[in-house]
Amino acid sequence: MAPSTSTFKRLKDIFYETRVLMGRGYTLNKFATEALGGTVDPVMLSYIEKGKRFATESLVYKLARVREQDPQDLLVLLWQDRMIHAFSRELRRVIKGDNKGRVDGVSDAEVAFMVSRAIAALPDDGSWVTAVRWRQDLQTALEELGQKRPQSLVKTVANILLEHRLIERNKEKVRRLENHYVPGNSEEKRSLAVEFCGIFAKGLLDKMVRQDKESYVRNHYLQISPDRIEDFYRRLDQEVRDIVGEYATEERTGKKFLNVLITSTPL
C-alpha cells in the first residue's frame, strides 16, 4: 500500500482506507480484533478514524505491519497531526472568528490547502482553461485529502477565490487573475496560518526524520538595515516568482505538487 502524499491527508484517513481495502467484511470490530490484534477498542478506533482521537505510537506500528509499510512514514503523519492540532488550538485562542463560511467536517488547513491547489491548477500567464478541467483538478485535490470530505468544499473554495478576485469566470471558462491568496477575515487568517504550520511540520519531519531528499529546509541569517527590509522582501518575492515560473509545468501526468513556504522575520 502506498504512503500518503498530501500534506493534509491525515493518519485517520490511512486507518480508514486500510480497513476498507481489506474488504467489505472488515467492520471496526473485526479490523480492531483481527488486523490490529485487539490492541485498540473498536469504539476508540472509530474515534481515530473520525479524527477525534490520536492513535498511539504502538498502534501505528501495528498498522504499518498490516500495510507492509515502513512505520516511520506513518509515525511522521501522527507527529504532524499532533503539531497541527496543538498549533490550531492555540491559534484559535489568539485569532477569534465567527466561523462564517465554515464547512462541516473540514479543518482550517484543508480549506487553505484546497485554495492553494485551486490557484496552482490555473495557468500563470492568465490564459483561460475550461471550468470542467479546473473542477477535475479540484476534485483530484479533494480526493487526496482522504475519505468523507464534503463535495461542497469545492464550491466554497471557488467562492473564496472569486470574492478575493483571484480568478475570473466567463461562462464555461476560468482564468487566474492573481497568484497570491491574502486572507481577509479571522477565519481565513486561521486557515492560512494552519496551512503554513502543516507545510512546515511536514517539511521539517520529512527532512529531519525520514531524510527525504525531495524536501528542502534551510535557515539563513543576515544583518540588514531597517530601511532596506522592504526592498529585500520585494527582491526575494521576485526571485521566487522567477524560479517558480521557470520550473512550473502545465502537464499533470507524473508530476508532483510542491508547496513552497518562505518566511522571514526579525529576531
Side-chain angles (χ1 to χ4, degrees):
M1 298 182 186
S4 170
T5 56
S6 168
T7 303
F8 296 108
K9 190 170 186 178
R10 298 165 58 191
L11 187 60
K12 72 185 186 72
D13 301 307
I14 306 300
F15 270 95
Y16 174 81
E17 290 172 3
T18 305
R19 180 168 65 85
V20 169
L21 288 173
M22 293 189 69
R24 299 173 66 90
Y26 272 86
T27 62
L28 284 165
N29 185 68
K30 184 175 181 179
F31 187 66
T33 304
E34 297 183 10
L36 299 177
T39 54
V40 61
D41 183 89
V43 175
M44 179 57 69
L45 180 59
S46 175
Y47 287 146
I48 291 171
E49 286 190 0
K50 293 176 181 176
K52 296 181 178 180
R53 293 289 188 277
F54 290 120
T56 62
E57 274 87 350
S58 61
L59 185 59
V60 172
Y61 275 102
K62 288 278 188 181
L63 181 66
R65 281 197 288 271
V66 172
R67 294 172 58 85
E68 299 180 352
Q69 181 177 344
D70 185 347
Q72 199 80 318
D73 293 333
L74 300 183
L75 286 170
V76 164
L77 289 179
L78 173 63
W79 298 330
Q80 181 185 341
D81 281 349
R82 289 174 174 171
M83 289 179 183
I84 293 175
H85 174 75
F87 178 79
S88 180
R89 180 188 59 207
E90 294 304 316
L91 188 66
R92 284 187 175 276
R93 295 178 181 176
V94 178
I95 304 178
K96 296 176 179 164
D98 56 10
N99 291 334
K100 183 179 180 181
R102 284 293 300 275
V103 181
D104 290 340
V106 175
S107 70
D108 290 332
E110 290 167 346
V111 173
F113 168 77
M114 288 291 292
V115 167
S116 299
R117 287 296 298 268
I119 296 173
L122 295 172
D124 288 331
D125 61 7
S127 57
W128 296 91
V129 298
T130 65
V132 171
R133 171 184 164 178
W134 187 56
R135 284 195 294 268
Q136 288 174 345
D137 286 335
L138 290 183
Q139 184 61 41
T140 298
L142 185 66
E143 292 169 359
E144 288 178 8
L145 286 175
Q147 55 108 359
K148 296 182 180 178
R149 293 338 189 260
Q151 292 294 323
S152 59
L153 179 56
V154 172
K155 183 178 180 181
T156 297
V157 168
N159 288 338
I160 289 174
L161 297 181
L162 286 168
E163 290 172 5
H164 285 263
R165 294 289 298 162
L166 292 170
I167 65 171
E168 179 182 8
R169 294 197 63 171
N170 182 5
K171 295 183 179 179
E172 293 303 315
K173 292 185 177 181
V174 60
R175 68 173 178 171
R176 185 194 302 190
L177 295 178
E178 297 289 345
N179 294 316
H180 299 290
Y181 164 57
V182 179
N185 58 39
S186 298
E187 200 65 32
E188 291 175 358
K189 289 178 181 178
R190 281 207 306 262
S191 296
L192 192 62
V194 175
E195 183 195 23
F196 282 175
C197 175
I199 297 168
F200 177 77
K202 183 179 187 302
L204 187 65
L205 290 170
D206 282 349
K207 193 68 176 179
M208 302 303 180
V209 178
R210 298 177 62 224
Q211 303 295 307
D212 185 354
K213 295 181 179 180
E214 293 184 341
S215 293
Y216 178 90
V217 177
R218 292 291 188 275
N219 194 10
H220 300 279
Y221 299 94
L222 73 157
Q223 299 280 1
I224 186 171
S225 300
D227 59 347
R228 300 191 66 194
I229 291 179
E230 184 177 349
D231 184 58
F232 172 75
Y233 287 155
R234 181 187 60 78
R235 289 275 306 278
L236 179 63
D237 182 62
Q238 188 59 53
E239 292 293 336
V240 173
R241 286 172 183 261
D242 290 344
I243 195 172
V244 168
E246 178 182 347
Y247 283 90
T249 175
E250 297 301 321
E251 298 178 16
R252 291 176 288 175
T253 305
K255 305 301 178 183
K256 284 197 172 184
F257 178 75
L258 291 184
N259 213 332
V260 180
L261 170 62
I262 297 176
T263 182
S264 173
T265 188
L267 297 178

